[in-house]
Amino acid sequence: QSMRGIHLLVPRNMTQAAGMYNTMLQSDDPAIIVECLNGYRLKEKVPTNLDEFTVPLGVPEVLAAGTDITLVTYGSCVRIAQEAMKMLEAYYGISVELIDVQSLLPFDLEHRIVDSLKKTNRILFLDEDVPGGATSYMMQEVLEKQNGYQYLDSKPMTITAKAHRPAYGWDGDYYGKPSAEDVVDGVVKM
């Protein structure tokens, strides 16, 4: 509730972050842009219009078209989802439609996630937040407020970090945060 009136943007990499900064510099609205730490280690192709291009607020981006399940995520979890997608296609023949939310506030103003759900009839929400956090918020927006529930053929799912204090270092990430294997297991169960 304390974030109302502030845009909450969640870029998957530093190029997207630059586009979000450009968008907000053209606005008088306040915003929090949550840069993912793993984004600093990525090698990205720098666009020629880095100081000009913008990212629209409240418009999720479909990163990969699919037919079997809609996977909704943001930030660092986009790379986890992409890794899981490769395994799901290679080992199980499961086609994933991957959606990067890009902004949590405002959230999916054009109902693009529901459009995807109409096609796949299954949905999974993924993030590194605690259980009951942003995945629950996204699920409520899509299924309850945007009436996406009517297109479901199976129970929706969330995959989050574990419900404990975060550990430090590589082991903490591995045991505390969701992995590509967690996503594969969740999708296969669905």
Side-chain angles (χ1 to χ4, degrees), residues 60 62 78 93 105 181:
V62 177
V78 168
L105 293 172
E181 290 79 13

Side-chain angles (χ1 to χ4, degrees), residues 36-150:
C36 51
L37 292 176
N38 293 336
Y40 293 113
R41 293 188 279 272
L42 293 177
K43 301 277 188 215
E44 297 179 62
K45 187 175 180 178
V46 179
T48 56
N49 63 342
L50 186 64
D51 59 341
E52 299 169 355
F53 88 98
T54 59
V55 174
L57 303 183
V59 181
E61 183 177 353
V62 177
L63 298 178
T67 57
D68 296 324
I69 186 169
T70 300
L71 201 165
V72 181
T73 192
Y74 60 87
S76 294
C77 284
V78 168
R79 285 179 296 288
I80 292 168
Q82 289 169 327
E83 187 180 334
M85 284 175 55
K86 292 176 189 171
M87 289 189 269
L88 287 164
E89 183 67 44
Y91 300 118
Y92 300 99
I94 296 174
S95 173
V96 176
E97 180 139 306
L98 177 60
I99 298 179
D100 177 9
V101 170
Q102 299 195 104
S103 77
L104 291 169
L105 293 172
F107 183 83
D108 192 9
L109 299 174
E110 301 173 355
H111 299 191
R112 290 187 178 189
I113 298 169
V114 171
D115 289 341
S116 173
L117 184 54
K118 288 176 185 176
K119 180 171 62 169
T120 65
N121 304 111
R122 289 180 183 82
I123 195 162
L124 185 148
F125 298 91
L126 167 69
D127 79 354
E128 296 178 333
D129 198 357
V130 295
T135 52
S136 297
Y137 163 74
M138 292 187 295
M139 183 184 287
Q140 181 184 24
E141 288 288 320
V142 172
L143 300 183
E144 185 179 320
K145 292 185 180 175
Q146 298 177 5
N147 294 319
Y149 71 91
Q150 60 191 325

